[in-house]
Amino acid sequence: MPDTPLPARPGALDPFKSNVFRNVWLATLVANLGSLIQGVGAAWMMTSIASSADLVALVQAAATLPIMLFSLISGALADNYNRRTIMLIAQAFMLVVSAVLALLAYAGMITPWVLLAFTFLIGCGTALQNPSIQAAVGDMVPRSQVPAAVSLNAMSFNITRSVGPAIGGIIVAAAGAAAAFAVNAVSYLALIAVLLRWKLETPKSHLPRESLGLAISAGLRYVAMSPNIEKVLLRGFVFGFAAISTLALLPLVARDLVGGGPLLYGVLFGAYGVGAIGGAFLGGRLRGMIENEWITRIGFVAFAVSATIQALSATAWLTCIGLLIGGVAWVLTLALFNVTVQLSTPRWVVGRAMSIYQMAIFGGMALGSWVWGMVAESHGPAEALLASAALMLVGAAIGFFIRLPGYTELNLDPLNRWREPSVALDLRARSGPIVIAIEYTIREEDLHEFLDAMAERRRIRRRDGARQWTLSRDLENPQLWVETYHTPTWHEYVRHNMRTTHSDAIVGDTLRRLHAGPEPIKVRRMIERPTDWAASQDQLKPMVDIHGSS
């Protein structure tokens, strides 16, 4: 079936009709509140025990660096194991780390590097959880509700962002950073309880799990052969690098540019969260009115305005206005990036695609936190914010050369048309390499359309795991064309074909229409063999299907 524009959007609150989504959303709200309170405690504690601006900014870098380093592994785990189990492990790990951090803080044993180390460990738990929880959106709601669910998840985080930092500031001012760390440890319990009750049903497969190395390489290959996702990664990295200046330098803005303490820092952070809630509601409306590229440009420019206001303001109310604008731009842009990746990815690889997307975003954030901290240390926070604003304008201008795709309703459900063939050799799962040759008869007048279709076929084949793809033309019969590709093993050949989606089938249908031979398209499946006779022998058997249909 052809790709068509998205139909009328489901209601913004429709995902709440799913009990699982609603319960996870509410529990995540509590966990996000704890994380933000912990972030306020860590950032303000660092301003108290360290004198340099770069160490203050490194708190944000320590929280985001693990997501860049480990998300790809987490994405491979999310696509090959039960996502609910992975989320439970991550939540339990972060609970233990947060509890130990609180005890050390109460004991007065926190140094700048100890604080950074524990912040890094909490970031590792986030890195383990994020691909699974992002990919699980499609397990909780229908695909048509994914954009609304992503916006609601963004709203959940930013509802807590609007009040969490202020609460965190009150807790830190009244009881110290150790109390903030203890609150964070308790906040994980709600989501753990919800996940324990969720019975996630995973599709059954007769194929074994991919090894971690193969799963990672398959995810990288899929993204590398998906131009729409690559555009999101580039724009997302630039946005994360530039926009993190606000969060990384906010403690310094509160202390040095506005002249406040932890309570004012929490209020400023809360203003940012209020703006982000507005961005979550505004994003759904804008997606129905203007194209994605213009929304992205608006997000970049709005953040440049936000950073400029913060840099030049000396009053809390004006800085709050700048942060409101920044919060709107933050959610507007990142939610659009997130939905674009999810709608461009089939379920078998969505965890890895989301992990690579998060690596780009959080890699930009981690690098940006360090860079803007160094600039603030040498030139001051105002100058660092102005420099990030200039980079934001560059990010908007990139859109004139690398445009984001619009939303289309790609049917990325498995086609399930292919059936494992009967073979005469006694193949085993690891038998290989397998060589596939497909013969087409193409009239001269159809040659241009055929080559266009084969260019897309090449991208799809390589994206789904084929190797050494070639297209050849017979010298004696110019109407005869042969497509050839390899897979390492028979199981990888089966897996390759099981990944075909309804959207991919458009190319196959085109090629069948263009085939002009008297017989159907001929597919030859072969196994490479060494020239040594003993090594090349396989036991012949009757032509029966030993593998079964899929």
Side-chain angles (χ1 to χ4, degrees):
M1 60 180 293
D3 300 338
T4 57
L6 277 170
R9 298 189 312 275
L13 301 180
D14 280 0
F16 282 143
K17 295 176 182 177
S18 164
N19 289 333
V20 171
F21 179 84
R22 184 174 63 253
N23 292 337
V24 170
W25 189 90
L26 290 170
T28 303
L29 193 73
V30 176
N32 287 340
L33 181 64
S35 296
L36 286 165
I37 291 172
Q38 190 273 343
V40 171
W44 199 257
M45 173 172 272
M46 187 63 83
T47 64
S48 303
I49 62 178
S51 57
S52 61
D54 55 337
L55 278 174
V56 174
L58 279 177
V59 172
Q60 190 69 37
T64 54
L65 183 61
I67 299 174
M68 182 190 70
L69 295 178
F70 305 126
S71 276
L72 186 54
I73 295 174
S74 301
L77 294 174
D79 286 331
N80 283 279
Y81 293 88
N82 187 288
R83 291 166 184 153
R84 166 185 165 275
T85 302
I86 294 172
M87 288 186 277
L88 277 169
I89 292 171
Q91 289 290 310
F93 174 77
M94 289 188 286
L95 187 155
V96 171
V97 171
S98 298
V100 173
L101 177 60
L103 292 174
L104 291 176
Y106 276 119
M109 300 172 63
I110 298 293
T111 67
W113 292 107
V114 169
L115 180 58
L116 289 175
F118 274 85
T119 303
F120 181 86
L121 288 174
I122 292 173
C124 289
T126 303
L128 176 61
Q129 171 183 269
N130 273 358
S132 289
I133 203 165
Q134 294 277 359
V137 170
D139 299 322
M140 301 177 197
V141 300
R143 187 175 182 84
S144 62
Q145 294 180 10
V146 166
V150 169
S151 293
L152 287 172
N153 282 338
M155 185 177 68
S156 166
F157 181 73
N158 290 291
I159 287 173
T160 58
R161 179 174 276 175
S162 64
V163 297
I167 296 173
I170 293 171
I171 292 173
V172 172
F181 302 151
V183 169
N184 182 44
V186 174
S187 72
Y188 295 114
L189 295 175
L191 187 52
I192 289 174
V194 169
L195 291 174
L196 285 172
R197 292 198 303 269
W198 180 24
K199 305 303 181 184
L200 174 62
E201 296 182 3
T202 55
K204 302 296 183 183
S205 174
H206 69 280
L207 294 173
R209 288 193 181 101
E210 295 176 283
S211 67
L212 187 60
L214 284 176
I216 290 174
S217 64
L220 290 170
R221 181 177 58 244
Y222 187 92
V223 170
M225 301 303 295
S226 302
N228 287 350
I229 299 178
E230 288 182 321
K231 294 174 183 177
V232 175
L233 297 184
L234 174 61
R235 305 294 292 282
F237 178 84
V238 175
F239 185 84
F241 180 88
I244 199 60
S245 61
T246 288
L247 296 181
L249 301 177
L250 193 55
L252 301 177
V253 171
R255 187 188 67 184
D256 300 339
L257 298 185
V258 186
L263 183 56
L264 177 60
Y265 170 60
V267 171
L268 294 178
F269 212 149
Y272 190 83
V274 171
I277 295 173
F281 282 110
L282 183 62
R285 293 181 177 273
L286 286 180
R287 285 195 294 271
M289 297 168 57
I290 59 178
E291 61 184 26
N292 287 353
E293 178 53 44
W294 276 106
I295 296 176
T296 304
R297 293 176 192 173
I298 290 170
F300 273 93
V301 173
F303 221 103
V305 172
S306 169
T308 301
I309 292 174
Q310 294 169 64
L312 301 180
S313 170
T315 60
W317 67 267
L318 184 57
T319 301
C320 282
I321 291 176
L323 287 165
L324 282 169
I325 297 171
V328 171
W330 180 268
V331 169
L332 197 65
T333 309
L334 291 186
L336 185 145
F337 290 161
N338 186 309
V339 172
T340 301
V341 173
Q342 292 225 33
L343 293 183
S344 301
T345 311
R347 298 301 301 164
W348 69 266
V349 75
V350 67
R352 281 162 282 187
M354 292 305 301
S355 71
I356 295 170
Y357 158 71
Q358 290 180 19
M359 285 175 63
I361 295 290
F362 284 94
M365 291 180 188
L367 181 61
S369 295
W370 177 74
V371 168
W372 303 126
M374 295 295 290
V375 174
E377 177 70 15
S378 57
H379 299 286
E383 287 74 10
L385 287 167
L386 290 173
S388 69
L391 183 58
M392 273 290 177
L393 296 178
V394 174
I398 291 175
F400 290 101
F401 307 97
I402 304 175
R403 296 177 59 87
L404 284 186
Y407 286 142
T408 55
E409 181 57 37
L410 299 175
N411 188 343
L412 299 180
D413 292 331
L415 183 63
N416 291 330
R417 181 188 295 171
W418 188 84
R419 294 293 180 267
E420 192 171 346
S422 301
V423 294
L425 293 179
D426 186 15
L427 294 181
R428 294 168 177 81
R430 299 185 62 81
S431 296
I434 303 298
V435 183
I436 309 300
I438 308 173
E439 298 178 359
Y440 306 89
T441 300
I442 304 299
R443 293 183 291 264
E444 192 69 27
E445 59 267 27
D446 295 328
L447 193 55
H448 182 76
E449 186 178 1
F450 171 75
L451 292 176
D452 285 344
M454 290 307 294
E456 181 66 6
R457 169 59 67 88
R458 173 181 179 272
R459 184 187 69 81
I460 293 171
R461 293 282 196 210
R462 294 181 61 195
R463 183 200 66 192
D464 289 351
R467 304 180 183 182
Q468 302 177 43
W469 188 96
T470 61
L471 180 64
S472 306
R473 190 177 193 181
D474 193 289
L475 293 176
E476 296 181 359
N477 179 10
Q479 287 193 335
L480 178 62
W481 294 77
V482 181
E483 174 193 4
T484 307
Y485 65 92
H486 296 60
T487 61
T489 65
W490 179 256
H491 260 181
E492 289 306 308
Y493 169 65
V494 174
R495 199 188 307 276
H496 167 82
N497 283 280
M498 296 301 290
R499 289 169 174 168
T500 302
T501 67
H502 285 271
S503 182
D504 298 334
I506 297 172
V507 176
D509 293 341
T510 299
L511 292 172
R512 280 186 286 275
R513 175 174 56 81
L514 295 175
H515 175 66
E519 301 293 333
I521 294 172
K522 179 67 176 177
V523 180
R524 300 185 185 276
R525 303 173 182 89
M526 298 165 280
I527 185 167
E528 287 187 356
R529 278 292 173 254
T531 54
D532 177 68
W533 184 87
S536 65
Q537 291 306 296
D538 276 301
Q539 181 182 1
L540 291 175
K541 63 174 188 64
M543 291 273 297
V544 297
D545 186 359
I546 63 172
H547 305 285
S549 298
S550 56

